[in-house]
Amino acid sequence: MKEIFTAFAMTFLTATSFAQSGNQAKSNKNMRIVFVVSNQVKSETTGYPIGFWLSELAQPFYEFQEVGYEVTIASPDGGKIIFDSWSDPESPNARELDLISTGFKHHPKTVALMENTVKLDEIKAENFDGIFVVGGLGPMQTFYNNEKLHKLFAQFYQAGKASATICHGSSILLKTKLSDGKLLAEGKKWTGFCNAEEDIVDKTAKKKMQPFRIEDEAKKLNTNYVTGKNPYSSFAVADGNLISGQQGSSGAETAKLVINYLKR
């Protein structure tokens, strides 16, 4: 049965042209999006290897390809990225049947993209129309204090480009500042992985998974942090060109808000 689902998912994705566009000058014909994805690191709290959440890359990637956007995948160190084992759609513990992520995991072209991401230092905001910061277990360590990423994200935002985060990728909004020193998210509506979801994760793992919680830190700031009604249900918000999704179930919805913004 798994083979059938995998083949079905790959059929969906084969119908789409996959492009790792690098950092060449932007074409007037196609919108260009850069994903920023965590490299794998060792968790400070559990010792587990942690990286990115597969559906938070796969689902938006599919949505962007469907409308003809060119997509680049970047990471802080460049090179290979590895998704969190908990996000494996073929795992016995998978929350739902995710055909898009299953296809993304197996398709030779997307596998190749995950093997050879562009180094973040090579990304220039002027060459893209939007940035999409992917979450997972890794970003709380690899993105939260990453000043290069914060500066790049602020450049996209201040240039009026689509500036999106999802799940733990939204941890950057706790620290990213504009060129005038003001917190980018000050007074802005945004979302990210919430306490109710962290509670579920910690209970399942029987240990504290993250060094801090986005919702706790957000409440200390002058921002409008919001969440959906139910944990793990799709939820995304847009405040101008700042776009954010709550967790892995929100990838497609978050991407559609980016597309809606760029259609203007």
Side-chain angles (χ1 to χ4, degrees), residues 14-192:
T14 302
T16 314
S17 61
F18 294 92
Q20 173 75 322
S21 55
N23 199 35
Q24 301 168 0
K26 182 175 77 69
S27 165
N28 291 325
K29 182 178 179 181
N30 298 319
M31 292 290 182
R32 300 188 64 193
I33 303 291
V34 59
F35 283 101
V36 182
V37 182
S38 177
N39 298 103
Q40 191 175 62
V41 294
K42 184 177 181 179
S43 170
E44 298 172 350
T45 55
T46 67
Y48 298 159
I50 54 176
F52 74 96
W53 205 260
L54 182 58
S55 65
E56 295 170 21
L57 174 61
Q59 295 281 354
F61 186 101
Y62 180 77
E63 294 295 332
F64 294 145
Q65 292 281 304
E66 280 290 275
V67 293
Y69 290 2
E70 296 180 19
V71 176
T72 294
I73 304 177
S75 62
D77 300 330
K80 187 173 184 177
I81 53 173
I82 300 175
F83 58 81
D84 296 318
S85 59
W86 283 17
S87 71
D88 188 341
E90 296 180 296
S91 165
N93 299 320
R95 290 185 175 273
E96 59 186 9
L97 178 64
D98 184 348
L99 295 177
I100 298 299
S101 295
T102 302
F104 191 96
K105 171 188 171 182
H106 289 288
H107 197 288
K109 291 185 178 180
T110 44
V111 169
L113 295 185
M114 291 189 285
E115 291 281 341
N116 189 32
T117 65
V118 178
K119 192 171 184 179
L120 188 64
D121 288 346
E122 299 176 17
I123 300 300
K124 299 184 186 302
E126 59 262 32
N127 292 337
F128 297 90
D129 300 283
I131 186 171
F132 196 109
V133 180
V134 174
L137 297 175
M140 299 282 268
Q141 291 180 205
T142 58
F143 291 173
Y144 178 59
N145 289 312
N146 191 323
E147 293 183 359
K148 290 182 179 179
L149 174 55
H150 299 174
K151 182 177 180 180
L152 181 67
F153 192 85
Q155 288 172 350
F156 271 83
Y157 178 78
Q158 290 191 280
K161 298 171 184 280
S163 305
T165 66
I166 189 170
C167 192
H168 289 110
S170 293
S171 63
I172 68 167
L173 298 179
L174 299 170
K175 286 197 169 186
T176 298
K177 294 182 178 180
L178 302 175
S179 56
D180 62 3
K182 179 182 176 182
L183 188 70
L184 185 153
E186 183 174 331
K188 296 289 183 180
K189 182 184 289 187
W190 63 284
T191 190

Side-chain angles (χ1 to χ4, degrees), residues 186-199:
E186 183 174 331
K188 296 289 183 180
K189 182 184 289 187
W190 63 284
T191 190
F193 207 67
C194 72
N195 282 352
E197 290 157 345
E198 295 284 14
D199 287 341

